[in-house]
Amino acid sequence: MKKITIAIDGHSSCGKSTMAKDLAREVGYVYVDTGAMYRSVTLYALQHNLFNEDGSVKTTELEQEMPNIQISFKFNPATGRPDTYLNNVRVEDEIRSLEVSSHVSPIAAVGFVRTAMVAQQQQMGKNKGVVMDGRDIGTTVFPDAELKIFVTASAEVRAQRRYDELKAKCMPADYDDILKNVQERDYIDSHREVSPLRKADDAIELDNSNMTIAEQKQWLLDRFNERTA
């Protein structure tokens, strides 16, 4: 069976990562969570006071720090999925916090950050056999990907999912704050100058507002089998 590149794009908290991780494990592909990469840069920026009081990014200082930001993924045998590491420290839980979620879109809109992350992502997927999810995988990172999926769901459904995820991890969560964050991220992601979130012309759209995880998993596996047959 030929190996292909699979690009899964879509709005925040719409289940892209869960779908991508499950498919990669099912078919033996490498999974790369590009959102985790931008979240890791955001966590680093928060830790090193690289935001102004109004929430904007201290771009000059961040650009100087970029060589010191190393992101990697290591397989976790307990979960069967990869964990995110920032400078060799596991940050899988920290990068999912609401504080990081509230600051990640401005970081992801910075041109030199996207350039650095896209270069790493393209290197990770150069040999195909990769499932990558994010905001611009099918439009910028891998415009020639053999299978492109664009995932969406209502803002209310996505906020509830994020709320449930945080509560399950015993992390602080407020539904109204999360919904506001989801709506703000949608606007910023879709209106940024560099690689804005949009559906690629040849992407298959999936609205999973009313689908179970099992149904999403089967739907994606069916699309994979169609493209690799």
Side-chain angles (χ1 to χ4, degrees), residues 21-33:
K21 290 174 184 176
D22 286 345
L23 179 65
R25 183 171 51 184
E26 183 84 12
V27 302
Y29 274 27
V30 174
Y31 166 69
V32 178
D33 181 353

Side-chain angles (χ1 to χ4, degrees), residues 107-116 194:
I107 287 286
V110 177
F112 61 79
V113 173
R114 297 206 73 85
T115 298
V194 183

Side-chain angles (χ1 to χ4, degrees), residues 46-209:
L46 286 167
Q47 292 172 338
H48 292 79
N49 191 32
L50 299 179
F51 286 97
N52 295 304
E53 289 188 6
D54 64 357
S56 60
V57 182
K58 297 179 181 178
T59 52
T60 301
E61 292 91 333
L62 177 59
E63 189 167 17
Q64 294 173 346
E65 289 290 331
M66 287 303 292
N68 301 322
I69 302 175
Q70 305 299 325
I71 302 164
S72 58
F73 297 94
K74 299 179 183 179
F75 184 76
N76 184 335
T79 62
R81 294 176 172 178
D83 285 341
T84 310
Y85 283 73
L86 172 61
N87 294 332
N88 293 317
V89 176
R90 183 184 181 277
V91 293
E92 186 64 31
D93 296 328
E94 291 84 347
I95 62 173
R96 310 296 174 183
S97 70
L98 184 57
E99 183 181 22
V100 170
S101 296
S102 299
H103 288 83
V104 67
S105 287
I107 287 286
V110 177
F112 61 79
V113 173
R114 297 206 73 85
T115 298
M117 296 299 102
V118 167
Q120 288 189 38
Q121 293 154 15
Q122 290 174 333
Q123 182 66 23
M124 292 174 183
K126 66 178 183 178
N127 296 320
K128 296 188 179 291
V130 64
V131 184
M132 200 171 288
D133 74 273
R135 301 288 192 281
D136 62 347
I137 312 305
T139 54
T140 300
V141 183
F142 293 116
D144 296 326
E146 291 87 346
L147 177 58
K148 300 179 186 179
I149 308 295
F150 188 86
V151 190
T152 187
S154 72
E156 291 75 16
V157 166
R158 289 183 283 133
Q160 186 65 50
R161 289 173 179 169
R162 176 65 71 183
Y163 174 85
D164 293 341
E165 178 184 5
L166 291 173
K167 296 300 285 187
K169 294 179 179 179
C170 298
M171 298 175 69
D174 179 273
Y175 174 81
D176 291 333
D177 288 343
I178 294 171
L179 177 59
K180 181 181 178 182
N181 173 248
V182 165
Q183 293 168 333
E184 289 175 345
R185 289 182 65 190
D186 283 354
Y187 182 85
I188 295 173
D189 291 344
S190 300
H191 289 80
R192 64 181 178 228
E193 291 185 13
V194 183
S195 298
L197 170 64
R198 66 176 180 84
K199 177 186 172 217
D201 293 338
D202 54 347
I204 305 170
E205 184 167 337
L206 171 66
D207 186 332
N208 65 10
S209 297

